[in-house]
Amino acid sequence: FEAKKCGMRVCDTSKCRLVDCKLSGCQTQGLRVTDSGTCVGVSCVFSENGHEGIVATANAKINLTSCVVHKNCGPGVDVTNNAFVSMKNTQITNNVGGVWSWDQSSFELENCVVDGGKSHAILADENCTNCFCTSGTTIKGVCHASENVRQQIAPGLDNTCVVEHPAQPTDLPHENGCFKFEHDMYTRRQ
C-alpha cells in the first residue's frame, strides 16, 4: 500500500488482518489503529512513511508477528491512551525513535530487535506500567523510562533481554518535520 495520507486506518470496532503486506511511502503513518479497533500483522513491512510506521491510540490493540518497521521519519511504533501493541519476532530499526508509549498505553516485545535510530529506542511515559520484554529482546539505544518499566524491559520478565547503549547519546527530535506541533483537535493528542 502507498497512500497520500495514512496507508491503512482501522477505526471504531473494525478488525483487520494483514499478511505479507507492505505499507510504505505514505505521507503520514503506514498503519493507524484507533478507537477499539484491532489489527493483526504477520510478515508485513512498514517503511519509509512520512511520520510513524505504526500508531495505536484510544483502546486499539495491535499484534505483530515477524514484521519489519524501518526507515520511517517518526517513531517505528507509537502507542497512546489505553492502546496495546504486542510484537513478536519483529525488527524495529532505523526510524526516528523505536517504540514510544504514552499515557496508560502498554506494549510487549518478544524476541524483537529495537533501535531508535536518531532518537530513543524506548520512550515510556511515567504512566505506562505494562511495558515489557521477553525471550531475548535486544534494545539498541537509549531506554527512557521509569525505573520500574526499565526493569521490565531489561533484564525483562524472564531475565533474557538486554539494552545496548549507543556510542553517542540520543535525544528527542527537534520540532520540525513530523515532530512539528500543529494543534488539531480532531487527531490524537500531540
Side-chain angles (χ1 to χ4, degrees):
F1 297 94
E2 186 175 321
K4 182 166 177 127
K5 293 279 185 178
C6 180
M8 177 171 283
R9 289 183 187 199
V10 180
C11 311
D12 200 16
T13 58
S14 299
K15 296 181 180 181
C16 170
R17 182 172 175 85
L18 302 170
V19 179
D20 294 326
C21 293
K22 181 176 182 179
L23 287 89
S24 180
C26 303
Q27 188 177 6
T28 58
Q29 302 90 16
L31 172 66
R32 179 182 178 91
V33 184
T34 64
D35 306 318
S36 294
T38 60
C39 185
V40 173
V42 179
S43 301
C44 294
V45 175
F46 306 88
S47 68
E48 300 172 2
N49 296 297
H51 290 203
E52 302 89 344
I54 298 170
V55 170
T57 187
N59 294 303
K61 291 187 178 25
I62 300 175
N63 289 307
L64 302 174
T65 303
S66 302
C67 291
V68 175
V69 183
H70 70 115
K71 296 183 182 176
N72 295 289
C73 295
V77 178
D78 194 335
V79 193
T80 61
N81 305 117
N82 293 304
F84 172 73
V85 179
S86 172
M87 296 157 272
K88 181 177 183 180
N89 302 323
T90 294
Q91 294 184 12
I92 302 160
T93 60
N94 296 319
N95 303 288
V96 181
V99 177
W100 289 8
S101 185
W102 308 96
D103 308 311
Q104 289 81 34
S105 65
S106 54
F107 65 84
E108 173 183 323
L109 295 161
E110 181 181 342
N111 193 34
C112 294
V113 174
V114 179
D115 82 49
K118 298 176 184 176
S119 192
H120 301 325
I122 301 287
L123 178 63
D125 188 314
E126 63 186 12
N127 297 314
C128 300
T129 55
N130 294 314
C131 303
F132 57 87
C133 299
T134 61
S135 303
T137 292
T138 301
I139 308 298
K140 297 179 178 183
V142 172
C143 176
H144 184 81
S146 68
E147 189 57 33
N148 289 341
V149 171
R150 177 70 171 73
Q151 291 300 312
Q152 294 176 108
I153 292 170
L157 296 181
D158 58 1
N159 292 320
T160 63
C161 304
V162 297
V163 173
E164 297 175 0
H165 298 284
Q168 297 278 335
T170 58
D171 201 356
L172 293 173
H174 298 287
E175 280 194 41
N176 55 28
C178 68
F179 294 99
K180 183 177 180 184
F181 178 78
E182 294 175 1
H183 179 72
D184 183 348
M185 63 189 245
Y186 300 107
T187 60
R188 67 184 170 83
R189 192 184 96 188
Q190 298 181 10

